[in-house]
Amino acid sequence: MNSETPARPQLGDLVVGVDGSPSARTAVLWAAAEADRRGRSLHLVHAADTDRRALHTSAETLREAREAGRELLAGSALTVHDRFPDLAVTRELSRQEPVAALRTAAGRRGTVVVGNRGLGGFSALMLGSVGLGVAARADVPVVVVRGEAEHPETGSVTAAVHDAADLDWLPLAAAEAAARKAALRIVSVWNVLAHVGSVATMLDDLDGIARQRVLEVKALADRVREVHPDLVVGHHVETGTSTPGILVAASARTDLLVMGRGRRPPALGRVAHTLIHHAHCPVEIVPPAFTGLANRTGP
C-alpha cells in the first residue's frame, strides 16, 4: 500500500440529466440537495440528440425537439428553485446524444447524476444504455439515483472495497460522508468461492487469506482516519458466496453506496451492474485513480 497519506478531496459541482421522466425528476431533486449540501452549483443537461437525428428527421421535428428540451430544462430549474431558492442553477440544451452530452457537460465538474430509468426513445436517460455508458466511461464520479424517494436517512455512507488499490478513491467516499455529517462504513466481501477449486488450496490457506483481507480493510480504514480524523469510520469484512447479493443487502442500510470502477473501461463489472440495477440507495461509481481534488468547476 502506498505509504503517502492520501489527500483530502473536495466535492465539486453536480451535472444531472433531464429527460422528463419521473426517475429523472427524482435525480434532479437528489442532485439539487447534494449541490446545496456541498455548497456547489447544479448544471441541468437535456440531450436533444439533434446532430444525429438531423440526418433523417425534418427541420420542423428538430425544432420541436429543441423547444421541448428548453421547456423541460425550464421546468426542472423551476422545481429546483422552489426547493432550493439560493442554489446556483445553469441549463444546457445539448445537440449530442445523451452519453456524449453528459460526459461533455461534466468535463472537469465534480459529479454526474442520472436517474435509474428513462422514458425510452432518443432523449431517454435509460439506465440500460445511457446510465451504464456514462458510468463506464466518465472521467468523474457518476451517481445512479436509486431507492425510495422517502427512504429515511440512515446517517451512513458505505464504501465497497476490494483491495489496497481502492485507497485511490476511498477519501472521496469519506468526503461524501463528511458532507452529510454521516459515518463511513467500509465493507469488503470475502467470497470463499473465489479461492476454492485448486487442489493446492487448503483450509489453512483460506483462513490465512481471510485474515489478510481483514488486515487490508483495517489498514484502509486507518488511512481514511488520517485524512478525516473527525469522521466516524467503521470497517467490516463480510463472508459469503455472492458479492453482489451482500452489497445489495447492505445498500438498504445506508444513504449512499460508493464503489470504484474497474480499470478496464468501458467494462463496469458484474458487481457494479448488479448494484446500479438493484441497490436500495443511490450508487456512486468512481473512475480509477480519481482523487476528487480541487475545485474543478469549469467546463
Side-chain angles (χ1 to χ4, degrees):
M1 184 179 293
N2 191 334
S3 61
E4 295 182 2
T5 300
R8 183 166 183 158
Q10 297 178 10
L11 301 175
D13 293 344
L14 279 295
V15 175
V16 61
V18 176
D19 72 355
S21 67
S23 175
R25 184 179 186 277
T26 298
V28 166
L29 291 175
W30 188 94
E34 181 70 11
D36 185 64
R37 181 173 18 242
R38 296 182 180 189
R40 296 289 187 172
S41 65
L42 177 68
H43 188 59
L44 306 174
V45 178
H46 175 74
D49 197 16
T50 51
D51 281 350
R52 181 184 64 84
R53 298 177 70 218
L55 299 175
H56 52 77
T57 306
S58 69
E60 177 65 17
T61 299
L62 294 176
R63 185 192 66 77
E64 292 174 353
R66 288 191 290 268
E67 183 59 32
R70 293 188 188 97
E71 291 177 0
L72 278 175
L73 288 167
S76 297
L78 183 60
T79 297
V80 170
H81 180 74
D82 288 343
R83 299 278 189 96
F84 305 95
D86 298 325
L87 184 63
V89 179
T90 55
R91 292 176 269 173
E92 178 182 348
L93 178 64
S94 175
R95 296 164 52 180
Q96 297 177 293
E97 53 85 20
V99 172
L102 287 170
R103 292 184 65 196
T104 300
R108 293 168 58 84
R109 296 176 188 264
T111 306
V112 175
V113 180
V114 295
N116 70 319
R117 187 174 298 135
L119 291 172
F122 74 91
S123 66
L125 293 174
M126 294 178 64
L127 183 57
S129 56
V130 175
L132 287 173
V134 176
R137 295 177 176 86
D139 296 324
V140 297
V142 176
V143 176
V144 178
V145 178
R146 293 196 50 81
E148 297 295 329
E150 303 302 322
H151 181 71
E153 292 188 355
T154 65
S156 72
V157 169
T158 297
V161 302
H162 179 69
D163 55 31
D166 291 316
L167 187 63
D168 283 349
W169 59 265
L170 196 52
L172 183 72
E176 294 279 16
R180 290 168 169 74
K181 296 181 172 57
L184 177 66
R185 183 169 180 255
I186 301 174
V187 175
S188 180
V189 178
W190 186 71
N191 189 337
V192 65
L193 294 182
H195 303 280
V196 173
S198 168
V199 293
T201 301
M202 305 296 289
L203 289 178
D204 287 346
D205 298 327
L206 294 176
D207 187 55
I209 294 169
R211 286 198 303 270
Q212 182 61 33
R213 175 65 66 86
V214 171
L215 291 174
E216 288 178 352
V217 174
K218 180 182 182 301
L220 286 173
D222 288 342
R223 301 294 295 282
V224 170
R225 293 184 186 104
E226 295 176 24
V227 182
H228 291 272
D230 298 327
L231 186 66
V232 175
V233 181
H235 61 278
H236 178 63
V237 175
E238 185 82 26
T239 302
T241 58
S242 172
T243 299
I246 289 172
L247 292 177
V248 167
S251 72
R253 305 185 297 274
T254 193
D255 298 328
L256 176 69
L257 192 147
V258 188
M259 68 179 299
R261 191 177 74 201
R263 295 177 180 271
R264 297 178 182 176
L268 275 177
R270 180 173 61 92
V271 176
H273 270 264
T274 301
L275 283 169
I276 61 180
H277 282 94
H278 300 290
H280 301 287
C281 71
V283 177
E284 183 168 8
I285 307 294
V286 187
F290 182 85
T291 63
L293 285 175
N295 43 3
R296 301 186 300 172
T297 57

